[in-house]
Amino acid sequence: MAMTWSFSGITTFAHLKHVKCLTTPSEKFDIAIVGAPFDTATSYRPGINPYASWATIIDCGDIPITPFDNAVALEQMSEAFVELGSRSAPLGETGKGKGKGKGRPKLITLGGDHSLALPALRALKKVYGREVRVVHFDAHLDTWHPAKYPSAWPSTQSHFNHGSMFWLAGQEGLLSNSSSASNIHAGLRTRLSGTDPSDFVDDSSQNWLRISADDIDDLGGPAGVIAAIMDQFDLNDPDPDPVYLSIDIDVLDPAFAPGTGTPEPGGWTTRELIRILRGLVDVLNVVGADVVEVSPAYQGRGEETALAAAQVVYEVLTGMVKRGLKDGSSEEKVKGGVDKAHDEL
C-alpha cells in the first residue's frame, strides 16, 4: 500500500475516512463530521481513543451550498441535515431515550457561520419528532428579532442571519418552550442593540437562561458553570430531552481565538471552555453539535483559533463516545487504542 502524506490528498477531520455521504446512501455511520461551508448570513481527554472505540466515525465532506442565494442555501442545508440525520447508525444512537430518533446517527457540523444552526435544528425536530433543548456557547445572544438588523428593503433572506437563527427556530417550534426546560446561553458578553435591556427581555420571553462570561468568576470557575447548566436538566429522566450543542468560537477571548468575525474582549480561555464541555457532553443526551464562526482570514500564523476549534470538536466527539459506553447500548470494540487520544489530531 502506497504511503500517503497527511498534507496531500483530501484533508479530513482527524484523518478520518472520507465519504460523500449525501450521494452514498449505503454508507453507515454512528457519528458524522459534516462541513457546511456557508458564511453569507454573517453581519486531551484521558482514558479512551474515541476513534478506536465503538463508534463508526467518518468525515462526510461538505454540503453543496450556493453562495448566491441565502434562501436556497437554507433549503440545501435543511435537506442535507435531514438526509444524513435520518440514516440508520450501525450500532444505534447512544442516548437512553426510546422515542422517535432512536438508532439515528449524530452530526457534528463545522461552520461556516452560526446561521447553520437553524437548518440543523429543523432536521433534529423532524428526526426526533420533538422540540430540542439548546446549550449555546457564544459571546452574543443570537435570539434577536430579524427587524433589529436594519434594512430598508426587508426580505425573507435578510431575516435569516447569524444573529436571528434562534429567534427563527423558536418561531418555527423547534425549541423547547417549557418553563422547566429552558435553553441556555453561556459565555455571554454581548452589547445590546438599543438603550434599554429589551434584548434581554426578548431573550427571556423565548425561554433562555443567560450565563455571562463574568459569571464564571462568581460561580467559582468551570465547575460552577457546569452546575448552573446541569440544574436545567432532569438527569433521572428515562427519556431525556435531545440536546443540541452550539459553539461559536467567539465564546473564547480574542487572545485565544482571534480568527472570528465578531470578536469580543473578556471571554473565556480555551482551558475553561474545554473543562466545561467535559462536564456536560457525556452526561447530557447530545444528539447534534456545531462549532462555527472560525474565520481563517482574521487568524495569524499561530493558527490558535483553528487549534482551539479542532480541540473543541474533539472534546464533543469524545463525550459522545463516552456517553455510548456509559449507557451500555453500544458494543465496545476498542482495539487496545487507549491513552493515545492526544496523538490523534
Side-chain angles (χ1 to χ4, degrees), residues 54-135:
W54 62 268
T56 299
I57 308 172
I58 62 176
D59 187 326
C60 279
D62 291 341
I63 299 170
I65 306 170
T66 178
F68 303 112
D69 188 320
N70 282 6
V72 173
L74 176 57
E75 291 304 312
Q76 288 174 319
M77 289 187 285
S78 297
E79 291 297 322
F81 286 133
V82 169
E83 165 63 22
L84 295 175
S86 299
R87 302 230 181 132
S88 297
L91 294 180
E93 195 268 342
T94 62
K96 294 179 180 178
K98 298 178 177 141
K100 184 179 179 183
K102 190 71 176 173
R104 302 303 184 193
K106 302 175 189 288
L107 307 181
I108 302 176
T109 309
L110 311 184
D113 71 48
H114 213 156
S115 62
L116 64 84
L118 177 60
L121 289 168
R122 285 178 173 179
L124 288 173
K125 173 69 179 296
K126 191 167 186 177
V127 171
Y128 285 85
R130 59 195 286 191
E131 294 83 4
V132 179
R133 303 278 299 279
V134 174
V135 181

Side-chain angles (χ1 to χ4, degrees), residues 138-140 189 248-253 257 260 262-264 292-293:
D138 203 324
H140 310 96
R189 53 198 186 279
D248 188 324
I249 204 65
D250 73 23
V251 72
L252 299 178
D253 190 90
T260 189
T262 51
E264 302 280 0
V292 297
E293 299 282 349

Side-chain angles (χ1 to χ4, degrees), residues 13-34:
F13 183 84
H15 306 295
L16 292 170
K17 174 185 176 182
H18 177 264
V19 179
K20 292 184 176 180
C21 299
L22 288 170
T23 56
T24 315
S26 61
E27 186 70 30
K28 303 295 185 182
F29 51 88
D30 293 291
I31 303 173
I33 307 297
V34 184

